[in-house]
Amino acid sequence: MADLSQQDWEAQLEKDTNAIILDVRTEEEIEEGRIPNSINIDIYKGQEFVEELEKLDKTKNYYVYCRSGARSGQACAIMNSLGFDKAYNLQGGFMNWEGETE
């Protein structure tokens, strides 16, 4: 797991052809906007969150974000414990995101 600044996260993501953007926020938070092309698995769903993670391809590189960076940091740690080697946490989360949104 690595905590990346917005600039590093975005720059690395741009060059990464094996990337998946993972949003771990709630549905209500997503209504406020999201980073384009992201998939959502709500970390607050507990065991269901883990079950959904286990369906994902562990060979991909995951760029993970939440509102502030705390939950996505936890999600990256969970992902690492499940065997995901490449999970990158967006420091500051969506509330500090200055890139494109939808």
Side-chain angles (χ1 to χ4, degrees):
M1 176 188 129
D3 288 319
L4 299 177
S5 69
Q6 178 181 320
Q7 291 77 17
D8 291 344
W9 196 85
E10 201 170 12
Q12 189 169 313
L13 177 61
E14 248 175 61
K15 295 182 290 197
D16 194 337
T17 58
N18 198 32
I20 304 266
I21 303 170
L22 177 61
D23 181 341
V24 298
R25 299 175 302 154
T26 64
E27 286 181 26
E28 293 78 25
E29 289 173 303
I30 291 168
E31 288 173 11
E32 298 166 15
R34 65 187 199 122
I35 296 173
N37 304 313
S38 59
I39 60 169
N40 172 248
I41 306 175
D42 181 353
I43 194 170
Y44 286 146
K45 294 203 168 155
Q47 186 58 35
E48 188 182 327
F49 175 73
V50 173
E51 289 166 7
E52 290 299 315
L53 286 179
E54 289 179 329
K55 295 176 187 174
L56 299 176
D57 183 346
K58 290 183 171 75
T59 67
K60 300 286 186 187
N61 303 325
Y62 291 88
Y63 293 80
V64 188
Y65 75 97
C66 65
R67 188 183 64 80
S68 67
R71 282 174 286 167
S72 50
Q74 293 172 336
C76 287
I78 292 167
M79 292 174 82
N80 286 156
S81 73
L82 293 173
F84 290 86
D85 290 332
K86 304 239 168 84
Y88 304 103
N89 180 36
L90 175 61
Q91 289 179 321
F94 189 75
M95 66 183 196
N96 290 333
W97 179 252
E98 294 172 0
E100 195 179 330
T101 61
E102 57 182 26

